[in-house]
Amino acid sequence: MLCGLGIFLPSKVVTNQDLSLFMETTDEWISTRTGIRERRVVERGTSTGDLAVEAGARALKSAGGEPADLVILATTTPDHPCPATAPAVAHRLGLLEAPAWDLSAVCSGFLYGLSTAAAFIAAGTARRVLLIGADTFSTIMAPADRATRPIFGDGAGAVVLRAGTAGEPGALGPTLLGSDGSLRELITVEAGGSREPLGPGDPDRPGRYFTMRGKSVFRRAVARMTEAAAEVRARAGWAPEDVDCLIAHQANRRILEAVAERLALPMERCALNLDRVGNTAAASVPLAMADAAASGQLEPGHRVLTTAYGGGVTWGAAALTWPSITPELT
Ligand code: UT7
């Protein structure tokens, strides 16, 4: 069950107006097409690991301060290609010798982590898991790419999970994960891996940057998130009107509206913070959880559906009841 939640956002705010000063876009286009008004961005020198440590520390505090014995860091923007970032994060949090690894499922990373954490707890292999979703997409996007820069922001969110009973607020219910690698080209950084290593002569070639085929992703994201969320809702034995809050990956307001409509949920029951943070990839779901909890939209015992879709392509969904916790905010 979920027993702690913490988030961290870099302090630098980049508004739509700021972006329009150096790329061909407008505040009007970004806000009407996406619902995003501003996003947070790291200063050069601040890494994903730095954000993860801050969010992780807050989640541990929110959970009462007891150490975790397993750390999972969901991220697509690790501090280095090698080694993984999670061991350094665990070390900096004082979780000495805890097993720690990075999990790469792009925007579905947090939901992949949730299922993995639950499985380790159910197997008795871990007692208390710190799951962090953190990303700094500002470090992998081309400087003036209007197809990605207006969409993505940086941030980190973390939860603590422990064993519990099904009736307790905070209990994690059914989860579902999926992938379709035939669509891997929709969201990609082509170069810099073993398929296309970056040589010393081509550090700035286009393939080194993150790209997304937005339109294709849009309709697939709507279909998969709806399908996955409806499936876990059914497995949880909930009717559409039983769902108190939908916490969907904050990709685009129009996507959230389409998913909510298909799930027969009014927008008042949907967490929505993308206007202030944009799409923060693996951090998106925990940041939206924290925002909804802090605003009073989420209350202990509420029935929550969460779902995400991202590169790979990957998707996931989970049902849970909201715990009685105080999130630790930035
Ligand atoms: O996190 C993983 C999951 N990610 C998602 O789910 C993202 C899904 N995709 C989206 O959210 C949307 O597809 C975007 C927000 C990325 C793009 O919105 P769209 O409504 O699909 O726009 P579009 O790409 O079809 O472009 C429409 C028009 C084009 O002009 P023409 O061809 O109609 O003349 C674009 O060139 O808007 C133009 N355009 C822009 N104009 C101003 C594209 N980007 C911009 C921009 N500013 N930033």
Side-chain angles (χ1 to χ4, degrees):
M1 66 165 280
L2 209 145
C3 64
L5 172 62
I7 63 160
F8 185 75
L9 289 165
S11 56
K12 184 176 172 186
V13 175
V14 175
T15 64
N16 293 347
Q17 175 68 23
D18 294 335
L19 290 176
S20 71
L21 299 179
F22 67 96
M23 71 178 70
E24 244 186 273
T25 193
T26 58
D27 174 38
E28 207 260 331
W29 191 94
I30 302 171
S31 28
T32 52
R33 294 282 179 141
T34 71
I36 299 164
R37 290 202 317 265
E38 59 186 42
R39 70 285 298 141
R40 302 296 184 94
V41 170
V42 290
E43 299 283 359
R44 201 176 166 82
T46 299
S47 74
T48 296
D50 295 335
L51 305 187
V53 167
E54 296 293 340
R58 285 164 173 77
L60 290 168
K61 187 173 172 211
S62 156
E66 224 181 287
D69 58 0
L70 173 60
V71 178
I72 301 173
L73 172 60
T75 188
T76 308
T77 50
D79 288 6
H80 308 280
C82 173
T85 305
V89 169
H91 179 78
R92 288 168 67 187
L93 288 168
L95 305 172
L96 307 179
E97 299 186 11
W101 63 84
D102 291 2
L103 189 161
S104 176
V106 198
C107 298
S108 312
F110 185 80
L111 284 172
Y112 268 61
L114 212 51
S115 275
T116 310
F120 269 81
I121 290 170
T125 316
R127 218 177 46 80
R128 216 171 169 83
V129 181
L130 174 62
L131 166 64
I132 310 170
D135 267 310
T136 52
F137 268 54
S138 69
T139 63
I140 60 168
M141 293 183 286
D145 179 14
R146 72 175 188 167
T148 55
R149 283 261 167 207
I151 317 291
F152 291 88
D154 302 337
V159 294
V160 178
L161 295 129
R162 65 163 171 83
T165 54
E168 266 180 288
L172 188 63
T175 65
L176 177 155
L177 302 175
S179 82
D180 179 357
S182 72
L183 298 172
R184 65 149 207 92
E185 287 176 356
L186 293 184
I187 295 173
T188 181
V189 179
E190 277 301 314
S194 59
R195 172 84 56 205
E196 214 181 303
L198 278 178
D202 52 5
D204 212 26
R205 75 164 187 254
R208 65 168 282 195
Y209 292 116
F210 174 79
T211 61
M212 176 174 72
R213 293 194 204 154
K215 234 182 187 30
S216 301
V217 174
F218 191 112
R219 55 189 170 81
R220 291 186 163 92
V222 171
R224 285 294 188 191
M225 287 202 285
T226 304
E227 195 182 283
E231 175 66 29
V232 296
R233 185 187 64 198
R235 285 194 213 160
W238 297 347
E241 61 275 16
D242 291 337
V243 177
D244 296 301
C245 192
L246 173 71
I247 303 178
H249 169 48
Q250 304 283 302
N252 183 320
R253 190 186 163 103
R254 286 153 55 218
I255 291 179
L256 299 188
E257 285 167 350
V259 172
E261 190 193 337
R262 285 162 175 74
L263 291 172
L265 281 172
M267 278 307 278
E268 304 82 73
R269 291 199 193 178
C270 298
L272 192 73
N273 67 336
L274 58 76
D275 53 326
R276 286 153 284 144
V277 297
N279 179 342
T280 54
S284 175
V285 166
L287 284 176
M289 281 177 171
D291 191 70
S295 71
Q297 188 182 8
L298 269 177
E299 288 171 20
H302 268 173
R303 292 171 171 193
V304 175
L305 272 186
T306 174
T307 184
Y309 183 88
V313 298
T314 54
W315 60 89
L320 66 145
T321 56
W322 194 248
S324 181
I325 53 171
T326 308
E328 288 285 329
L329 310 175
T330 297

